[in-house]
Amino acid sequence: MLQRRSLPLILVVEDEPLVRLDITLAMVDAGFSVIEVPDAEQAIELLETRGSIGLVFTDVELAGALSGFDLADEIEARWPHIPVLVTSGRAVPKDELADRFIAKPYDTDAVISQARALAA
């Protein structure tokens, strides 16, 4: 019998409630487990307490003091084993994030495909 590999728990960080809901539902439909928060500060709190997060999908422009780029830097420094996908409708990615950047408006299938690739 073929054993399916379980997909990682994804942390979605997006301050626009409808955008957050849309991508969360698409990821759940694709078989991922998802936790969602509206800002980087709450994301860091979750990362500090939940060792099961396997991928972070974050917008660049967030409410609060930290941007999605700041969050990606913090994750790289503290949790380098957790991949980060970054999205924005305005910001341009830093060179080190260029291969993990998805421009808004994005195709949810493209986000899911990239999340699966990073989870492999």
Side-chain angles (χ1 to χ4, degrees):
M1 186 167 143
L2 187 64
Q3 189 175 23
R4 289 185 65 180
R5 188 166 170 257
S6 63
L7 296 172
L9 174 62
I10 296 181
L11 174 57
V12 172
V13 187
E14 170 64 64
D15 61 344
E16 292 293 332
L18 293 177
V19 175
R20 187 172 64 238
L21 178 63
D22 184 54
I23 192 61
T24 296
L25 291 175
M27 288 180 168
V28 168
D29 286 348
F32 290 98
S33 296
V34 180
I35 301 172
E36 53 181 279
V37 296
D39 60 54
E41 291 82 2
Q42 289 181 51
I44 291 169
E45 287 176 19
L46 275 172
L47 287 160
E48 289 174 338
T49 60
R50 296 205 51 172
S52 58
I53 295 170
L55 182 96
V56 175
F57 180 63
T58 184
D59 190 11
V60 170
E61 296 176 7
L62 299 168
L66 300 175
S67 73
F69 288 142
D70 296 330
L71 177 60
D73 289 343
E74 187 76 12
I75 293 169
E76 177 63 28
R78 296 177 63 185
W79 301 281
H81 64 283
I82 299 176
V84 180
L85 276 173
V86 178
T87 187
S88 179
R90 292 185 208 109
V92 177
K94 299 186 280 186
D95 289 342
E96 62 270 16
L97 290 175
D99 63 333
R100 292 176 283 142
F101 181 83
I102 299 173
K104 282 184 174 180
Y106 50 73
D107 174 11
T108 55
D109 290 338
V111 175
I112 290 164
S113 176
Q114 190 142 5
R116 282 192 172 125
L118 288 171

